[in-house]
DNA sequence: AATCCGTGGGG
DNA sequence: TCCCCAAGGAT
């Protein structure tokens, strides 16, 4: 399973793809990117709790769920509380799902809390309480998609996987494709490129994955990239092309005010704070428009985030 | 493939 | 102020 630098097929495929996208690449790793990026990472990586050895695979998995669309700064305190309360998957699986939703706090997208609880239960039932090591088994868990499966396998278990998140996609778009931003949806070409750029050595591949993510998060940011601090600025295709502005249609701006999501958020905020079941009349006060309010509440119930009780009362789910 | 799903901080 | 967007996943 482990590739070596001498493996002909992998190396050849990588070289072809890379040379097609980046003709000037001639150094040992095919691109000249590995050394500068991993060296930069060694010096500048943040000391995040889920990167410490004691975090374990469960800590890595919890962090990955929380970091799906939520910034590090907001995840940090909730992560610490979560791991202190539920240090193993079995601990979370033994709780009511509503407690996971409550502990999720204001991280947003609370369905992630429900899925993390469901993942903990699945880990308990299918894997004896240990976070599985295999990508396919990780991918089968609730709330674990292509990215999270690769991230856990790579960061927790040191395996060789292409970890393609929004940061890595942006770094590759700029450094290799010469564009300011990656495509809206992840393309086959991006996956192919990510695989081609992945170092053959397993340990180096895992460090490369973390390093490219960190570079995108700290230096090669979406808005104001700090190219003066970038270890690969001299090789960056986008920069060499004169940093051309993004072509094509503007990214779809996600509206929030007045949407069902906002109403769901207001309803759930009330239920999170409540110790006892909440009467319908209290929920009615959070939004003026009755049709949308009812639709939002129905949606929360359908998602399993809210449990309806007799007498028009509601609470976070016990089962 | 396009939409839906929260929340808050920074420019 | 308003707008962008932040370690995605499911349908």
């Amino acid at each position: 399973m482990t590739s070596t630098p001498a493996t002909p097929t992998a190396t050849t495929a990588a070289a072809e793809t890379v040379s097609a996208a980046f003709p000037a690449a001639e150094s040992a790793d095919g691109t000249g990117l590995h050394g500068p990026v991993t060296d930069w990472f060694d010096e500048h990586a943040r000391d995040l709790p889920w990167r410490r050895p004691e975090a374990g695979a469960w800590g890595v998995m919890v962090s990955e769920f929380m970091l799906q669309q939520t910034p590090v700064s907001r995840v940090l305190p909730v992560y610490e509380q979560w791991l202190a309360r539920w240090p193993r998957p079995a601990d979370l699986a033994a709780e009511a799902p509503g407690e996971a939703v409550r502990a999720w706090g204001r991280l947003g997208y609370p369905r992630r809390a429900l899925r993390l609880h469901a993942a903990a239960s699945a880990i308990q039932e299918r894997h004896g309480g240990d976070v599985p090591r295999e990508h396919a088994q990780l991918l089968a868990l609730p709330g674990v998609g292509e990215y999270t499966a690769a991230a856990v396998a790579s960061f927790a278990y040191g395996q060789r996987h292409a970890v393609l998140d929004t940061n890595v996609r942006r770094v590759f778009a700029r450094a290799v494709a010469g564009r300011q931003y990656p495509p809206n949806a992840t393309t086959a070409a991006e996956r192919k490129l990510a695989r081609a750029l992945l170092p053959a050595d397993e340990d180096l591949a895992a460090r490369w994955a973390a390093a490219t993510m960190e570079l995108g998060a700290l230096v090669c940011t979406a808005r104001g990239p700090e190219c003066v601090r970038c270890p690969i600025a001299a090789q960056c295709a986008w920069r060499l092309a004169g940093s051309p502005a993004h072509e094509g249609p503007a990214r779809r701006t996600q509206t929030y005010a007045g949407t069902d999501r906002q109403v769901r958020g207001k309803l759930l905020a009330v239920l999170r704070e409540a110790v006892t079941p909440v009467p319908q009349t209290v929920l009615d006060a959070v939004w003026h428009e009755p049709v949308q309010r009812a639709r939002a509440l129905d949606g929360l119930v359908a998602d399993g985030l809210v449990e309806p009780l007799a007498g028009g009362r509601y609470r976070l789910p016990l089962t």
Side-chain angles (χ1 to χ4, degrees):
Chain A
M1 199 59 91
T2 301
S3 299
T4 70
T7 304
T9 50
T11 304
T12 302
E16 287 173 356
T17 301
V18 171
S19 59
F22 200 37
E26 291 293 345
S27 50
D29 66 19
T31 62
L33 299 175
H34 295 164
V37 173
T38 54
D39 286 350
W40 172 87
F41 183 64
D42 290 342
E43 187 171 350
H44 297 282
R46 291 167 292 181
D47 177 27
L48 300 170
W50 44 86
R51 287 181 177 160
R52 297 199 286 262
E54 59 267 31
W58 174 238
V60 172
M61 172 167 280
V62 169
S63 77
E64 291 303 336
F65 270 75
M66 293 182 172
L67 288 164
Q68 289 169 3
Q69 301 286 280
T70 302
V72 167
S73 60
R74 246 186 300 158
V75 164
L76 282 169
V78 181
Y79 171 87
E80 299 288 7
Q81 294 174 343
W82 193 285
L83 265 293
R85 182 172 177 182
W86 300 305
R88 300 165 305 172
D91 302 316
L92 179 58
E95 280 273 13
E99 283 308 298
V101 174
R102 198 188 308 278
W104 197 253
R106 309 186 68 81
L107 288 183
Y109 292 146
R111 293 193 293 192
R112 291 181 293 164
L114 228 43
R115 291 176 186 146
L116 182 50
H117 181 275
S121 299
I123 288 169
Q124 182 67 10
E125 293 178 8
R126 301 177 206 162
H127 306 293
D130 295 320
V131 176
R133 306 179 71 92
E134 292 187 21
H135 185 278
Q137 294 183 324
L138 289 164
L139 193 58
L141 296 172
V144 176
E146 183 180 341
Y147 161 75
T148 301
V152 172
S154 181
F155 303 153
Y157 295 124
Q159 295 172 20
R160 183 177 182 273
H161 291 282
V163 180
L164 204 52
D165 81 320
T166 185
N167 290 304
V168 177
R169 294 182 62 216
R170 187 173 54 248
V171 169
F172 290 173
R174 289 175 180 165
V176 180
R179 299 180 177 277
Q180 186 178 20
Y181 297 119
N184 280 326
T186 305
T187 63
E190 287 182 278
R191 294 189 181 90
K192 183 178 181 182
L193 176 63
R195 275 185 267 112
L197 292 175
L198 198 60
D201 176 75
E202 188 175 40
D203 294 329
L204 183 56
R207 281 181 55 223
W208 165 256
T212 47
M213 281 182 65
E214 192 77 336
L215 186 62
L218 297 183
V219 174
C220 193
T221 55
R223 269 187 277 191
E226 297 187 66
C227 302
V228 292
R229 298 201 303 150
C230 181
I232 54 173
Q235 308 145 71
C236 177
W238 180 56
R239 207 139 189 281
L240 292 173
S243 304
H246 179 71
E247 296 177 17
R251 335 238 303 196
R252 188 174 300 279
T253 165
Q254 57 167 352
T255 56
Y256 179 65
T259 62
D260 286 6
R261 283 152 75 183
Q262 184 183 22
V263 183
R264 286 167 58 109
K266 287 179 174 295
L267 290 170
L268 207 55
V270 171
L271 291 161
R272 271 199 311 265
E273 300 307 314
V275 180
T276 58
V278 177
Q280 177 82 55
T281 52
V282 173
L283 294 180
D284 286 349
V286 308
W287 196 253
H288 52 88
E289 209 290 302
V291 174
Q292 186 178 29
R293 191 177 65 223
R295 185 172 65 234
L297 184 55
D298 286 348
L300 289 171
V301 172
D303 287 348
L305 284 162
V306 172
E307 184 175 344
L309 302 175
R313 302 166 83 87
Y314 298 87
R315 69 181 175 198
L316 299 182
L318 288 184
T319 58

